[in-house]
Amino acid sequence: MNFGFAMRACAVAAGLMAAAPQPACAQASTVTIETPVPSPAPCALHIWPAATTHTTFQGWTRAGAVDGAQRGIKGYPDLRAVAIDTAQQVQILSALDWREISGDPTLVVVVHPQPTGSDDDRSRTTRLIADGPACYRELIITSSLVESAVFSTRSVRILVLRKTFDGAAPPTNFSTMTKSVITLPEKVQPGDPQIDIATRAAFADAAHKFAVAQSFH
């Protein structure tokens, strides 16, 4: 092959390659990485039962002495305070759906097996449980009572204290008394297991009433 012709052929080929359309470069795209916002720590609710359930009975000639039957005073009926002793209170309080009542599905609920053991719960400004989230609440059954009177239905009355802690701020207190009637079958006899069942149901209802009331305060 003529050397000059070959050189011209190579030059033409090179020119054609240079003139051929080249692949377009990919357009640079901007990728935005969103940093997830951390969810706040769940609120914690710690609950303590009352140390003792007392009884009162108002008779025709009785002045409503506290714990008359337990003290062996003649004429005072056994109102079955044992049905809602500390252990039974713990079971009842544990069975309540505090998350639903509070409208907080992430609420962490802890029911303690014994009373607080503190004698200044109302004035106390420090937590009973030091560790935990900034959103921290205490619910304390400060008093539990089974009461009855002549020609009157039995009822359970409880006094409850809620303390709300918010970070380093002093706690806010809300306390009220709630009452629930003990619904018994007609002509129920002393010692009937239904008395204890109904008494526990009344305690549960009274606790539920407080839970609803405190949600507005």
Side-chain angles (χ1 to χ4, degrees):
M1 178 182 293
N2 184 281
F3 179 75
F5 177 80
M7 291 296 293
R8 287 194 296 274
C10 288
V12 171
L16 291 173
M17 292 180 64
Q22 299 298 313
C25 293
Q27 295 295 322
S29 60
T30 302
V31 179
T32 302
I33 301 176
E34 296 184 359
T35 303
V37 178
S39 300
C43 290
L45 172 64
H46 288 262
I47 303 172
W48 284 268
T52 305
T53 294
H54 296 286
T55 63
T56 63
F57 174 73
Q58 185 69 49
W60 289 112
T61 59
R62 304 294 174 183
V66 175
D67 297 336
Q70 293 95 310
R71 292 158 53 193
I73 301 177
K74 186 177 180 180
Y76 281 84
D78 182 3
L79 299 180
R80 298 298 298 164
V82 69
I84 47 176
D85 61 12
T86 298
Q88 290 294 334
Q89 289 178 46
V90 170
Q91 290 189 23
I92 296 167
L93 294 169
S94 298
L96 290 176
D97 192 342
W98 295 98
R99 290 181 174 180
E100 181 181 0
I101 298 169
S102 301
D104 184 353
T106 65
L107 184 67
V108 177
V109 182
V110 180
V111 180
H112 295 267
Q114 296 295 331
T116 64
S118 172
D119 57 1
D120 64 342
D121 284 322
R122 187 173 298 276
S123 60
R124 173 174 47 81
T125 59
T126 57
R127 301 180 177 198
L128 286 173
I129 306 299
D131 298 330
C135 182
Y136 168 91
R137 309 163 196 165
E138 297 177 352
L139 192 153
I140 303 165
I141 311 293
T142 59
S143 177
S144 176
L145 176 71
V146 180
E147 55 189 2
S148 183
V150 175
F151 302 125
S152 176
T153 56
R154 298 185 189 186
S155 60
V156 170
R157 189 188 299 268
I158 60 174
L159 179 63
V160 191
L161 168 67
R162 185 213 62 203
K163 299 180 74 70
T164 300
F165 293 79
D166 185 9
T172 58
N173 292 352
F174 170 72
S175 181
T176 191
M177 186 173 287
T178 56
K179 175 181 177 181
S180 183
V181 171
I182 300 174
T183 305
L184 296 172
E186 293 185 7
K187 299 180 180 180
V188 65
Q189 298 299 316
D192 191 317
Q194 293 183 82
I195 297 175
D196 287 0
I197 294 172
T199 302
R200 293 176 190 129
F203 180 93
D205 185 60
H208 186 276
K209 287 179 178 177
F210 176 83
V212 172
Q214 64 91 35
S215 65
F216 294 99
H217 297 81

